[in-house]
């Protein structure tokens, strides 16, 4: 005779249970505890059998940009100049430290979040080009990321940045918008540090894994 055996891991060590206990736990509608199947309880060693195979967990894949092209020179120049003008307005320049630039972006996001929805299109575009441009210039200067154009829909493209080998890419407008809309504190410094440290979803050369 044999019974399925399960275990729970506690800080003092594992505790083992039979199938009867697990059935009673589930019958009571209790949740929050995962019983790991580890084998069987048998009358003798000769009756022992290996536990049934467990399916490998599915790991969600990060989305990828299906296409890309070189950034249009005119659009790139506009965002670059907007980024430089925004830095100058904050008392910074192209040589300012990454910490200073990221702190200024964070302060700008926090200040404008409450009025984001009231901004007129011209002011919104100026904000997005300034903040996005400053972040792009930082990626270009410190991490050698390059300017690319990424598909937002079947008919529209958005200016973005891609890693030197094309393994990862981000859309500048999307990054800025998410920073503005999130109820959490700005994470632009965390994003930059993750990129700088290589702590990104798996991606090989030319994969253009979407981040940001």
């Amino acid at each position: 005779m044999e019974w399925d055996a399960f275990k729970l891991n506690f800080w003092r060590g594992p505790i083992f249970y039979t199938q009867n206990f697990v059935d009673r736990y589930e019958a009571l509608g209790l949740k929050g505890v995962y019983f790991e199947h580890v084998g069987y309880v048998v009358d003798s060693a000769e009756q022992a059998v290996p536990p049934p195979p467990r399916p490998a967990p599915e790991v969600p894949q990060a989305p990828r940009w299906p296409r890309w092209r070189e950034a249009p020179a005119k659009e790139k120049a506009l965002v670059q100049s907007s980024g430089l003008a925004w830095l100058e307005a904050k008392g910074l320049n192209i040589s300012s430290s990454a910490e200073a630039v990221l702190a200024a972006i964070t302060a700008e996001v926090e200040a404008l979040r409450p009025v984001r929805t009231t901004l007129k299109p011209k002011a919104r575009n100026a904000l997005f080009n300034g903040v996005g441009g400053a972040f792009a210039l930082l990626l270009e200067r410190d991490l050698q990321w390059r300017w690319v154009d990424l598909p937002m829909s079947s008919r529209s493209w958005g200016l973005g940045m891609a890693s030197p080998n094309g393994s990862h890419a981000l859309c500048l407008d999307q990054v800025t918008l998410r920073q503005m809309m999130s109820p959490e504190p700005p994470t632009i410094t965390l994003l930059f540090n993750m990129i700088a440290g290589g702590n990104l979803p798996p991606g090989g050369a030319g994969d253009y894994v979407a981040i940001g």
Side-chain angles (χ1 to χ4, degrees):
M1 187 175 181
E2 64 183 33
W3 301 270
D4 287 276
F6 299 81
K7 77 171 180 177
L8 287 177
N9 291 313
F10 293 92
W11 68 276
R12 288 186 176 180
I15 298 178
F16 296 89
Y17 300 90
T18 64
Q19 181 70 57
N20 287 341
F21 182 90
V22 176
D23 290 343
R24 292 182 63 188
Y25 177 88
E26 294 176 348
L28 291 172
L30 301 176
K31 297 180 180 180
V33 174
Y34 173 69
F35 294 93
E36 180 183 356
H37 192 283
V38 291
Y40 300 90
V41 178
V42 295
D43 294 331
S44 65
E46 290 76 15
Q47 295 176 315
V49 295
R54 298 179 59 194
E58 294 186 6
V59 179
Q61 297 296 312
R64 287 165 168 74
W65 297 101
R67 294 174 294 151
W68 68 277
R69 64 189 184 193
E70 294 298 331
K74 185 176 180 180
E75 185 177 2
K76 174 182 172 182
L78 170 64
V79 176
Q80 284 178 320
S81 62
S82 296
L84 290 170
W86 185 88
L87 289 172
E88 183 177 353
K90 302 300 177 183
L92 304 170
N93 56 55
I94 190 63
S95 300
S96 297
S97 68
E99 291 78 10
V101 174
L102 294 169
I105 293 175
T106 297
E108 184 85 328
V109 169
E110 289 181 329
L112 294 178
R113 270 179 175 172
V115 298
R116 176 185 62 83
T117 57
T118 66
L119 294 176
K120 294 184 178 180
K122 186 176 181 179
R124 179 186 181 278
N125 289 339
L127 169 65
F128 277 41
N129 287 340
V131 172
F135 187 59
L137 290 170
L138 195 58
L139 291 175
E140 182 181 37
R141 186 197 71 186
D142 288 9
L143 305 179
Q144 292 73 56
W145 277 44
R146 54 193 177 85
W147 299 80
V148 292
D149 218 19
L150 301 169
M152 299 295 99
S153 69
S154 60
R155 296 184 178 182
S156 65
W157 291 69
L159 199 63
M161 302 295 290
S163 60
N165 68 348
S167 60
H168 298 81
L170 57 82
C171 173
L172 295 173
D173 275 359
Q174 283 192 357
V175 169
T176 305
L177 182 62
R178 287 171 182 166
Q179 293 292 316
M180 288 288 183
M181 293 182 64
S182 174
E184 303 297 328
T187 57
I188 195 71
T189 298
L190 176 61
L191 175 61
F192 181 82
N193 290 339
M194 288 173 59
I195 295 173
N199 185 20
L200 296 170
D207 282 348
Y208 287 85
V209 175
I211 61 173

mmCIF file with all atom_site columns, all heavy atoms in Angstrom, residues 182-207:
data_model
loop_
_atom_site.group_PDB
_atom_site.id
_atom_site.type_symbol
_atom_site.label_atom_id
_atom_site.label_alt_id
_atom_site.label_comp_id
_atom_site.label_asym_id
_atom_site.label_entity_id
_atom_site.label_seq_id
_atom_site.pdbx_PDB_ins_code
_atom_site.Cartn_x
_atom_site.Cartn_y
_atom_site.Cartn_z
_atom_site.occupancy
_atom_site.B_iso_or_equiv
_atom_site.pdbx_formal_charge
_atom_site.auth_seq_id
_atom_site.auth_comp_id
_atom_site.auth_asym_id
_atom_site.auth_atom_id
_atom_site.pdbx_PDB_model_num
ATOM 1   N N   . SER A 1 182 ? 2.281  56.486 -13.810 1.00 0.00 ? 182 SER A N   1
ATOM 2   C CA  . SER A 1 182 ? 2.393  55.541 -12.694 1.00 0.00 ? 182 SER A CA  1
ATOM 3   C C   . SER A 1 182 ? 2.096  56.218 -11.360 1.00 0.00 ? 182 SER A C   1
ATOM 4   O O   . SER A 1 182 ? 2.560  57.330 -11.102 1.00 0.00 ? 182 SER A O   1
ATOM 5   C CB  . SER A 1 182 ? 3.803  54.938 -12.649 1.00 0.00 ? 182 SER A CB  1
ATOM 6   O OG  . SER A 1 182 ? 3.964  54.142 -11.492 1.00 0.00 ? 182 SER A OG  1
ATOM 7   N N   . PRO A 1 183 ? 1.329  55.548 -10.491 1.00 0.00 ? 183 PRO A N   1
ATOM 8   C CA  . PRO A 1 183 ? 1.072  56.121 -9.160  1.00 0.00 ? 183 PRO A CA  1
ATOM 9   C C   . PRO A 1 183 ? 2.269  55.968 -8.222  1.00 0.00 ? 183 PRO A C   1
ATOM 10  O O   . PRO A 1 183 ? 2.297  56.556 -7.147  1.00 0.00 ? 183 PRO A O   1
ATOM 11  C CB  . PRO A 1 183 ? -0.121 55.301 -8.655  1.00 0.00 ? 183 PRO A CB  1
ATOM 12  C CG  . PRO A 1 183 ? 0.020  53.979 -9.343  1.00 0.00 ? 183 PRO A CG  1
ATOM 13  C CD  . PRO A 1 183 ? 0.589  54.291 -10.701 1.00 0.00 ? 183 PRO A CD  1
ATOM 14  N N   . GLU A 1 184 ? 3.232  55.159 -8.629  1.00 0.00 ? 184 GLU A N   1
ATOM 15  C CA  . GLU A 1 184 ? 4.421  54.933 -7.809  1.00 0.00 ? 184 GLU A CA  1
ATOM 16  C C   . GLU A 1 184 ? 5.448  56.042 -8.026  1.00 0.00 ? 184 GLU A C   1
ATOM 17  O O   . GLU A 1 184 ? 5.378  56.782 -9.010  1.00 0.00 ? 184 GLU A O   1
ATOM 18  C CB  . GLU A 1 184 ? 5.044  53.574 -8.147  1.00 0.00 ? 184 GLU A CB  1
ATOM 19  C CG  . GLU A 1 184 ? 4.093  52.404 -7.980  1.00 0.00 ? 184 GLU A CG  1
ATOM 20  C CD  . GLU A 1 184 ? 3.645  52.228 -6.543  1.00 0.00 ? 184 GLU A CD  1
ATOM 21  O OE1 . GLU A 1 184 ? 4.439  52.535 -5.642  1.00 0.00 ? 184 GLU A OE1 1
ATOM 22  O OE2 . GLU A 1 184 ? 2.501  51.797 -6.326  1.00 0.00 ? 184 GLU A OE2 1
ATOM 23  N N   . PRO A 1 185 ? 6.422  56.174 -7.126  1.00 0.00 ? 185 PRO A N   1
ATOM 24  C CA  . PRO A 1 185 ? 7.483  57.161 -7.340  1.00 0.00 ? 185 PRO A CA  1
ATOM 25  C C   . PRO A 1 185 ? 8.201  56.895 -8.667  1.00 0.00 ? 185 PRO A C   1
ATOM 26  O O   . PRO A 1 185 ? 8.261  55.754 -9.129  1.00 0.00 ? 185 PRO A O   1
ATOM 27  C CB  . PRO A 1 185 ? 8.427  56.926 -6.145  1.00 0.00 ? 185 PRO A CB  1
ATOM 28  C CG  . PRO A 1 185 ? 7.548  56.323 -5.097  1.00 0.00 ? 185 PRO A CG  1
ATOM 29  C CD  . PRO A 1 185 ? 6.553  55.478 -5.832  1.00 0.00 ? 185 PRO A CD  1
ATOM 30  N N   . PRO A 1 186 ? 8.743  57.934 -9.317  1.00 0.00 ? 186 PRO A N   1
ATOM 31  C CA  . PRO A 1 186 ? 9.431  57.752 -10.598 1.00 0.00 ? 186 PRO A CA  1
ATOM 32  C C   . PRO A 1 186 ? 10.532 56.701 -10.509 1.00 0.00 ? 186 PRO A C   1
ATOM 33  O O   . PRO A 1 186 ? 11.260 56.627 -9.518  1.00 0.00 ? 186 PRO A O   1
ATOM 34  C CB  . PRO A 1 186 ? 10.002 59.146 -10.886 1.00 0.00 ? 186 PRO A CB  1
ATOM 35  C CG  . PRO A 1 186 ? 9.107  60.077 -10.152 1.00 0.00 ? 186 PRO A CG  1
ATOM 36  C CD  . PRO A 1 186 ? 8.693  59.351 -8.900  1.00 0.00 ? 186 PRO A CD  1
ATOM 37  N N   . THR A 1 187 ? 10.643 55.898 -11.565 1.00 0.00 ? 187 THR A N   1
ATOM 38  C CA  . THR A 1 187 ? 11.617 54.801 -11.574 1.00 0.00 ? 187 THR A CA  1
ATOM 39  C C   . THR A 1 187 ? 12.663 54.983 -12.662 1.00 0.00 ? 187 THR A C   1
ATOM 40  O O   . THR A 1 187 ? 13.302 54.023 -13.068 1.00 0.00 ? 187 THR A O   1
ATOM 41  C CB  . THR A 1 187 ? 10.899 53.461 -11.782 1.00 0.00 ? 187 THR A CB  1
ATOM 42  O OG1 . THR A 1 187 ? 10.143 53.515 -13.012 1.00 0.00 ? 187 THR A OG1 1
ATOM 43  C CG2 . THR A 1 187 ? 9.956  53.162 -10.633 1.00 0.00 ? 187 THR A CG2 1
ATOM 44  N N   . ILE A 1 188 ? 12.840 56.214 -13.148 1.00 0.00 ? 188 ILE A N   1
ATOM 45  C CA  . ILE A 1 188 ? 13.759 56.431 -14.254 1.00 0.00 ? 188 ILE A CA  1
ATOM 46  C C   . ILE A 1 188 ? 15.200 56.113 -13.852 1.00 0.00 ? 188 ILE A C   1
ATOM 47  O O   . ILE A 1 188 ? 15.975 55.581 -14.652 1.00 0.00 ? 188 ILE A O   1
ATOM 48  C CB  . ILE A 1 188 ? 13.637 57.886 -14.781 1.00 0.00 ? 188 ILE A CB  1
ATOM 49  C CG1 . ILE A 1 188 ? 14.296 58.014 -16.149 1.00 0.00 ? 188 ILE A CG1 1
ATOM 50  C CG2 . ILE A 1 188 ? 14.198 58.880 -13.785 1.00 0.00 ? 188 ILE A CG2 1
ATOM 51  C CD1 . ILE A 1 188 ? 13.543 57.323 -17.250 1.00 0.00 ? 188 ILE A CD1 1
ATOM 52  N N   . THR A 1 189 ? 15.568 56.400 -12.599 1.00 0.00 ? 189 THR A N   1
ATOM 53  C CA  . THR A 1 189 ? 16.917 56.064 -12.131 1.00 0.00 ? 189 THR A CA  1
ATOM 54  C C   . THR A 1 189 ? 17.099 54.559 -12.073 1.00 0.00 ? 189 THR A C   1
ATOM 55  O O   . THR A 1 189 ? 18.149 54.019 -12.477 1.00 0.00 ? 189 THR A O   1
ATOM 56  C CB  . THR A 1 189 ? 17.178 56.673 -10.742 1.00 0.00 ? 189 THR A CB  1
ATOM 57  O OG1 . THR A 1 189 ? 17.092 58.100 -10.837 1.00 0.00 ? 189 THR A OG1 1
ATOM 58  C CG2 . THR A 1 189 ? 18.558 56.288 -10.215 1.00 0.00 ? 189 THR A CG2 1
ATOM 59  N N   . LEU A 1 190 ? 16.085 53.841 -11.594 1.00 0.00 ? 190 LEU A N   1
ATOM 60  C CA  . LEU A 1 190 ? 16.145 52.377 -11.557 1.00 0.00 ? 190 LEU A CA  1
ATOM 61  C C   . LEU A 1 190 ? 16.292 51.810 -12.961 1.00 0.00 ? 190 LEU A C   1
ATOM 62  O O   . LEU A 1 190 ? 17.096 50.897 -13.195 1.00 0.00 ? 190 LEU A O   1
ATOM 63  C CB  . LEU A 1 190 ? 14.893 51.822 -10.890 1.00 0.00 ? 190 LEU A CB  1
ATOM 64  C CG  . LEU A 1 190 ? 14.754 50.298 -10.860 1.00 0.00 ? 190 LEU A CG  1
ATOM 65  C CD1 . LEU A 1 190 ? 15.902 49.668 -10.098 1.00 0.00 ? 190 LEU A CD1 1
ATOM 66  C CD2 . LEU A 1 190 ? 13.415 49.896 -10.259 1.00 0.00 ? 190 LEU A CD2 1
ATOM 67  N N   . LEU A 1 191 ? 15.533 52.351 -13.916 1.00 0.00 ? 191 LEU A N   1
ATOM 68  C CA  . LEU A 1 191 ? 15.617 51.873 -15.298 1.00 0.00 ? 191 LEU A CA  1
ATOM 69  C C   . LEU A 1 191 ? 17.022 52.070 -15.844 1.00 0.00 ? 191 LEU A C   1
ATOM 70  O O   . LEU A 1 191 ? 17.594 51.149 -16.452 1.00 0.00 ? 191 LEU A O   1
ATOM 71  C CB  . LEU A 1 191 ? 14.595 52.610 -16.165 1.00 0.00 ? 191 LEU A CB  1
ATOM 72  C CG  . LEU A 1 191 ? 14.634 52.306 -17.667 1.00 0.00 ? 191 LEU A CG  1
ATOM 73  C CD1 . LEU A 1 191 ? 14.369 50.831 -17.925 1.00 0.00 ? 191 LEU A CD1 1
ATOM 74  C CD2 . LEU A 1 191 ? 13.633 53.173 -18.418 1.00 0.00 ? 191 LEU A CD2 1
ATOM 75  N N   . PHE A 1 192 ? 17.589 53.243 -15.634 1.00 0.00 ? 192 PHE A N   1
ATOM 76  C CA  . PHE A 1 192 ? 18.944 53.504 -16.137 1.00 0.00 ? 192 PHE A CA  1
ATOM 77  C C   . PHE A 1 192 ? 19.950 52.560 -15.487 1.00 0.00 ? 192 PHE A C   1
ATOM 78  O O   . PHE A 1 192 ? 20.818 51.999 -16.179 1.00 0.00 ? 192 PHE A O   1
ATOM 79  C CB  . PHE A 1 192 ? 19.331 54.955 -15.869 1.00 0.00 ? 192 PHE A CB  1
ATOM 80  C CG  . PHE A 1 192 ? 20.707 55.308 -16.375 1.00 0.00 ? 192 PHE A CG  1
ATOM 81  C CD1 . PHE A 1 192 ? 20.905 55.643 -17.704 1.00 0.00 ? 192 PHE A CD1 1
ATOM 82  C CD2 . PHE A 1 192 ? 21.806 55.284 -15.521 1.00 0.00 ? 192 PHE A CD2 1
ATOM 83  C CE1 . PHE A 1 192 ? 22.180 55.959 -18.177 1.00 0.00 ? 192 PHE A CE1 1
ATOM 84  C CE2 . PHE A 1 192 ? 23.077 55.589 -15.991 1.00 0.00 ? 192 PHE A CE2 1
ATOM 85  C CZ  . PHE A 1 192 ? 23.261 55.934 -17.316 1.00 0.00 ? 192 PHE A CZ  1
ATOM 86  N N   . ASN A 1 193 ? 19.843 52.367 -14.179 1.00 0.00 ? 193 ASN A N   1
ATOM 87  C CA  . ASN A 1 193 ? 20.782 51.484 -13.488 1.00 0.00 ? 193 ASN A CA  1
ATOM 88  C C   . ASN A 1 193 ? 20.639 50.039 -13.934 1.00 0.00 ? 193 ASN A C   1
ATOM 89  O O   . ASN A 1 193 ? 21.630 49.297 -14.003 1.00 0.00 ? 193 ASN A O   1
ATOM 90  C CB  . ASN A 1 193 ? 20.587 51.595 -11.978 1.00 0.00 ? 193 ASN A CB  1
ATOM 91  C CG  . ASN A 1 193 ? 21.049 52.930 -11.430 1.00 0.00 ? 193 ASN A CG  1
ATOM 92  O OD1 . ASN A 1 193 ? 21.846 53.623 -12.054 1.00 0.00 ? 193 ASN A OD1 1
ATOM 93  N ND2 . ASN A 1 193 ? 20.550 53.311 -10.264 1.00 0.00 ? 193 ASN A ND2 1
ATOM 94  N N   . MET A 1 194 ? 19.400 49.610 -14.223 1.00 0.00 ? 194 MET A N   1
ATOM 95  C CA  . MET A 1 194 ? 19.193 48.254 -14.729 1.00 0.00 ? 194 MET A CA  1
ATOM 96  C C   . MET A 1 194 ? 19.855 48.078 -16.087 1.00 0.00 ? 194 MET A C   1
ATOM 97  O O   . MET A 1 194 ? 20.493 47.053 -16.355 1.00 0.00 ? 194 MET A O   1
ATOM 98  C CB  . MET A 1 194 ? 17.696 47.957 -14.826 1.00 0.00 ? 194 MET A CB  1
ATOM 99  C CG  . MET A 1 194 ? 17.009 47.754 -13.487 1.00 0.00 ? 194 MET A CG  1
ATOM 100 S SD  . MET A 1 194 ? 15.211 47.620 -13.637 1.00 0.00 ? 194 MET A SD  1
ATOM 101 C CE  . MET A 1 194 ? 15.058 46.196 -14.718 1.00 0.00 ? 194 MET A CE  1
ATOM 102 N N   . ILE A 1 195 ? 19.712 49.090 -16.946 1.00 0.00 ? 195 ILE A N   1
ATOM 103 C CA  . ILE A 1 195 ? 20.347 49.015 -18.259 1.00 0.00 ? 195 ILE A CA  1
ATOM 104 C C   . ILE A 1 195 ? 21.867 49.004 -18.110 1.00 0.00 ? 195 ILE A C   1
ATOM 105 O O   . ILE A 1 195 ? 22.562 48.192 -18.720 1.00 0.00 ? 195 ILE A O   1
ATOM 106 C CB  . ILE A 1 195 ? 19.898 50.202 -19.131 1.00 0.00 ? 195 ILE A CB  1
ATOM 107 C CG1 . ILE A 1 195 ? 18.400 50.113 -19.415 1.00 0.00 ? 195 ILE A CG1 1
ATOM 108 C CG2 . ILE A 1 195 ? 20.681 50.235 -20.441 1.00 0.00 ? 195 ILE A CG2 1
ATOM 109 C CD1 . ILE A 1 195 ? 17.835 51.336 -20.123 1.00 0.00 ? 195 ILE A CD1 1
ATOM 110 N N   . ALA A 1 196 ? 22.377 49.908 -17.283 1.00 0.00 ? 196 ALA A N   1
ATOM 111 C CA  . ALA A 1 196 ? 23.827 50.005 -17.095 1.00 0.00 ? 196 ALA A CA  1
ATOM 112 C C   . ALA A 1 196 ? 24.403 48.721 -16.508 1.00 0.00 ? 196 ALA A C   1
ATOM 113 O O   . ALA A 1 196 ? 25.506 48.308 -16.853 1.00 0.00 ? 196 ALA A O   1
ATOM 114 C CB  . ALA A 1 196 ? 24.156 51.192 -16.194 1.00 0.00 ? 196 ALA A CB  1
ATOM 115 N N   . GLY A 1 197 ? 23.632 48.071 -15.606 1.00 0.00 ? 197 GLY A N   1
ATOM 116 C CA  . GLY A 1 197 ? 24.111 46.850 -14.974 1.00 0.00 ? 197 GLY A CA  1
ATOM 117 C C   . GLY A 1 197 ? 23.803 45.593 -15.753 1.00 0.00 ? 197 GLY A C   1
ATOM 118 O O   . GLY A 1 197 ? 24.186 44.491 -15.335 1.00 0.00 ? 197 GLY A O   1
ATOM 119 N N   . GLY A 1 198 ? 23.103 45.721 -16.874 1.00 0.00 ? 198 GLY A N   1
ATOM 120 C CA  . GLY A 1 198 ? 22.772 44.537 -17.673 1.00 0.00 ? 198 GLY A CA  1
ATOM 121 C C   . GLY A 1 198 ? 21.690 43.676 -17.062 1.00 0.00 ? 198 GLY A C   1
ATOM 122 O O   . GLY A 1 198 ? 21.520 42.518 -17.453 1.00 0.00 ? 198 GLY A O   1
ATOM 123 N N   . ASN A 1 199 ? 20.935 44.228 -16.111 1.00 0.00 ? 199 ASN A N   1
ATOM 124 C CA  . ASN A 1 199 ? 19.869 43.463 -15.448 1.00 0.00 ? 199 ASN A CA  1
ATOM 125 C C   . ASN A 1 199 ? 18.577 43.606 -16.249 1.00 0.00 ? 199 ASN A C   1
ATOM 126 O O   . ASN A 1 199 ? 17.644 44.304 -15.853 1.00 0.00 ? 199 ASN A O   1
ATOM 127 C CB  . ASN A 1 199 ? 19.679 43.969 -14.023 1.00 0.00 ? 199 ASN A CB  1
ATOM 128 C CG  . ASN A 1 199 ? 18.674 43.139 -13.248 1.00 0.00 ? 199 ASN A CG  1
ATOM 129 O OD1 . ASN A 1 199 ? 18.388 41.989 -13.603 1.00 0.00 ? 199 ASN A OD1 1
ATOM 130 N ND2 . ASN A 1 199 ? 18.114 43.713 -12.196 1.00 0.00 ? 199 ASN A ND2 1
ATOM 131 N N   . LEU A 1 200 ? 18.523 42.937 -17.412 1.00 0.00 ? 200 LEU A N   1
ATOM 132 C CA  . LEU A 1 200 ? 17.434 43.086 -18.362 1.00 0.00 ? 200 LEU A CA  1
ATOM 133 C C   . LEU A 1 200 ? 16.886 41.717 -18.758 1.00 0.00 ? 200 LEU A C   1
ATOM 134 O O   . LEU A 1 200 ? 17.537 40.694 -18.528 1.00 0.00 ? 200 LEU A O   1
ATOM 135 C CB  . LEU A 1 200 ? 17.932 43.820 -19.608 1.00 0.00 ? 200 LEU A CB  1
ATOM 136 C CG  . LEU A 1 200 ? 18.388 45.268 -19.394 1.00 0.00 ? 200 LEU A CG  1
ATOM 137 C CD1 . LEU A 1 200 ? 19.071 45.788 -20.647 1.00 0.00 ? 200 LEU A CD1 1
ATOM 138 C CD2 . LEU A 1 200 ? 17.211 46.150 -19.015 1.00 0.00 ? 200 LEU A CD2 1
ATOM 139 N N   . PRO A 1 201 ? 15.676 41.682 -19.345 1.00 0.00 ? 201 PRO A N   1
ATOM 140 C CA  . PRO A 1 201 ? 15.148 40.395 -19.816 1.00 0.00 ? 201 PRO A CA  1
ATOM 141 C C   . PRO A 1 201 ? 16.100 39.756 -20.814 1.00 0.00 ? 201 PRO A C   1
ATOM 142 O O   . PRO A 1 201 ? 16.855 40.461 -21.503 1.00 0.00 ? 201 PRO A O   1
ATOM 143 C CB  . PRO A 1 201 ? 13.820 40.786 -20.491 1.00 0.00 ? 201 PRO A CB  1
ATOM 144 C CG  . PRO A 1 201 ? 13.469 42.105 -19.916 1.00 0.00 ? 201 PRO A CG  1
ATOM 145 C CD  . PRO A 1 201 ? 14.757 42.800 -19.603 1.00 0.00 ? 201 PRO A CD  1
ATOM 146 N N   . PRO A 1 202 ? 16.085 38.433 -20.919 1.00 0.00 ? 202 PRO A N   1
ATOM 147 C CA  . PRO A 1 202 ? 16.979 37.762 -21.873 1.00 0.00 ? 202 PRO A CA  1
ATOM 148 C C   . PRO A 1 202 ? 16.768 38.300 -23.290 1.00 0.00 ? 202 PRO A C   1
ATOM 149 O O   . PRO A 1 202 ? 15.650 38.533 -23.725 1.00 0.00 ? 202 PRO A O   1
ATOM 150 C CB  . PRO A 1 202 ? 16.558 36.294 -21.785 1.00 0.00 ? 202 PRO A CB  1
ATOM 151 C CG  . PRO A 1 202 ? 15.938 36.159 -20.432 1.00 0.00 ? 202 PRO A CG  1
ATOM 152 C CD  . PRO A 1 202 ? 15.266 37.473 -20.164 1.00 0.00 ? 202 PRO A CD  1
ATOM 153 N N   . GLY A 1 203 ? 17.861 38.493 -23.983 1.00 0.00 ? 203 GLY A N   1
ATOM 154 C CA  . GLY A 1 203 ? 17.798 38.974 -25.360 1.00 0.00 ? 203 GLY A CA  1
ATOM 155 C C   . GLY A 1 203 ? 19.150 38.869 -26.019 1.00 0.00 ? 203 GLY A C   1
ATOM 156 O O   . GLY A 1 203 ? 20.170 39.216 -25.427 1.00 0.00 ? 203 GLY A O   1
ATOM 157 N N   . GLY A 1 204 ? 19.150 38.384 -27.269 1.00 0.00 ? 204 GLY A N   1
ATOM 158 C CA  . GLY A 1 204 ? 20.381 38.274 -28.026 1.00 0.00 ? 204 GLY A CA  1
ATOM 159 C C   . GLY A 1 204 ? 20.494 39.394 -29.025 1.00 0.00 ? 204 GLY A C   1
ATOM 160 O O   . GLY A 1 204 ? 19.588 40.213 -29.199 1.00 0.00 ? 204 GLY A O   1
ATOM 161 N N   . ALA A 1 205 ? 21.614 39.440 -29.703 1.00 0.00 ? 205 ALA A N   1
ATOM 162 C CA  . ALA A 1 205 ? 21.848 40.481 -30.695 1.00 0.00 ? 205 ALA A CA  1
ATOM 163 C C   . ALA A 1 205 ? 20.733 40.494 -31.737 1.00 0.00 ? 205 ALA A C   1
ATOM 164 O O   . ALA A 1 205 ? 20.383 39.454 -32.301 1.00 0.00 ? 205 ALA A O   1
ATOM 165 C CB  . ALA A 1 205 ? 23.204 40.268 -31.369 1.00 0.00 ? 205 ALA A CB  1
ATOM 166 N N   . GLY A 1 206 ? 20.153 41.672 -31.967 1.00 0.00 ? 206 GLY A N   1
ATOM 167 C CA  . GLY A 1 206 ? 19.099 41.813 -32.958 1.00 0.00 ? 206 GLY A CA  1
ATOM 168 C C   . GLY A 1 206 ? 17.721 41.416 -32.517 1.00 0.00 ? 206 GLY A C   1
ATOM 169 O O   . GLY A 1 206 ? 16.770 41.448 -33.306 1.00 0.00 ? 206 GLY A O   1
ATOM 170 N N   . ASP A 1 207 ? 17.544 41.076 -31.229 1.00 0.00 ? 207 ASP A N   1
ATOM 171 C CA  . ASP A 1 207 ? 16.210 40.680 -30.735 1.00 0.00 ? 207 ASP A CA  1
ATOM 172 C C   . ASP A 1 207 ? 15.279 41.871 -30.490 1.00 0.00 ? 207 ASP A C   1
ATOM 173 O O   . ASP A 1 207 ? 14.072 41.736 -30.543 1.00 0.00 ? 207 ASP A O   1
ATOM 174 C CB  . ASP A 1 207 ? 16.333 39.884 -29.425 1.00 0.00 ? 207 ASP A CB  1
ATOM 175 C CG  . ASP A 1 207 ? 16.760 38.451 -29.667 1.00 0.00 ? 207 ASP A CG  1
ATOM 176 O OD1 . ASP A 1 207 ? 16.741 38.011 -30.825 1.00 0.00 ? 207 ASP A OD1 1
ATOM 177 O OD2 . ASP A 1 207 ? 17.107 37.762 -28.673 1.00 0.00 ? 207 ASP A OD2 1
#
